[in-house]
Amino acid sequence: MLLTAMMATVRAKFPGATQMSTSELEKRLAGGDEVVLVDTREKLEFQVSHLPGAVHVDPNAPREELVAAVQRAVDVRAADSDAQSSLDVVCYCSVGWRSSKVVEAIQTELQKPASCQSMQVYNLEGSCFKWANEGRCLVDGSGEHDVSYAHPYDSTFGSMLERERWRFPDGDQSQNRGQGCRIS
């Protein structure tokens, strides 16, 4: 309920950030679509868990640095794939606030005349908390182990994440490891 209200608030606050649902992202990943996942949470949150294959960017970096970091991630993915056109970029954070800010910043930068990049940038609606609450795959900081938890950010935002999915970096992560949730 709280997360649904937050999602509506995010949509209203950041109308320029194109939203992608968690089900649409999972469908695209399962279908083999080339998508660059960008985690815009703090490094500590990323180290607890993140979506498989996601790259971390500093959400507080200047706009030009954000665009450059995302472009590097796109270039790396494009070099490793058979993608013939631009890759979609999906940004996420805990609930979508920080990632929507990043999406709007990137979109603004890409509209400048000097920008030659072509990419479609989305915010993952409900972000990591919605993804986790739905039981979708996350991986630990190493990217090697499936997990079912996320960093709650704080108790206020954590109220939008199911309590059994809370994990702080000093906790025993072994009890929350998932079973075979990798997307092929």
Side-chain angles (χ1 to χ4, degrees), residues 80-124:
D80 292 341
S81 75
D82 296 329
Q84 299 299 316
S85 60
S86 65
L87 298 172
D88 288 341
V89 175
V90 179
C91 299
Y92 70 91
C93 60
S94 295
V95 298
W97 190 274
R98 293 174 285 178
S99 51
S100 287
K101 278 177 65 173
V102 169
V103 168
E104 284 192 346
I106 292 170
Q107 288 172 334
T108 298
E109 198 64 25
L110 292 176
Q111 291 173 4
K112 290 184 176 178
S115 176
C116 62
Q117 294 101 346
S118 69
M119 64 177 87
Q120 183 64 42
V121 186
Y122 300 90
N123 177 62
L124 180 60

Side-chain angles (χ1 to χ4, degrees), residues 13-184:
K13 176 72 176 170
F14 303 100
T18 306
Q19 305 293 318
M20 180 182 288
S21 70
T22 53
S23 59
E24 176 65 19
L25 176 58
E26 185 172 63
K27 180 178 151 187
R28 286 186 180 198
L29 293 172
D33 288 4
E34 295 291 340
V35 176
V36 177
L37 299 172
V38 177
D39 190 310
T40 66
R41 298 174 299 157
E42 297 297 325
K43 188 71 170 174
L44 186 63
E45 295 171 89
F46 179 81
Q47 290 169 341
V48 168
S49 68
H50 53 272
L51 275 68
V55 296
H56 179 262
V57 298
D58 178 0
N60 301 310
R63 184 179 296 161
E64 296 81 13
E65 288 180 29
L66 281 172
V67 172
V70 170
Q71 186 62 53
R72 282 191 300 276
V74 167
D75 291 345
V76 166
R77 178 61 61 86
D80 292 341
S81 75
D82 296 329
Q84 299 299 316
S85 60
S86 65
L87 298 172
D88 288 341
V89 175
V90 179
C91 299
Y92 70 91
C93 60
S94 295
V95 298
W97 190 274
R98 293 174 285 178
S99 51
S100 287
K101 278 177 65 173
V102 169
V103 168
E104 284 192 346
I106 292 170
Q107 288 172 334
T108 298
E109 198 64 25
L110 292 176
Q111 291 173 4
K112 290 184 176 178
S115 176
C116 62
Q117 294 101 346
S118 69
M119 64 177 87
Q120 183 64 42
V121 186
Y122 300 90
N123 177 62
L124 180 60
E125 190 169 35
S127 280
C128 189
F129 286 4
K130 187 168 193 297
W131 188 267
N133 286 342
E134 293 171 340
R136 300 182 196 276
C137 186
L138 294 166
V139 293
D140 66 3
S142 71
E144 297 177 6
H145 301 101
D146 297 336
V147 297
S148 59
Y149 52 79
H151 192 292
Y153 186 72
D154 64 20
S155 60
T156 301
F157 281 92
S159 66
M160 293 177 254
L161 178 65
E162 294 171 359
R163 183 71 172 115
E164 64 272 11
R165 298 193 185 279
W166 283 35
R167 179 63 61 180
F168 293 96
D170 59 352
D172 174 17
Q173 296 181 7
S174 63
Q175 65 185 357
N176 284 22
R177 290 211 168 130
Q179 300 296 320
C181 62
R182 294 214 187 265
I183 298 171
S184 308

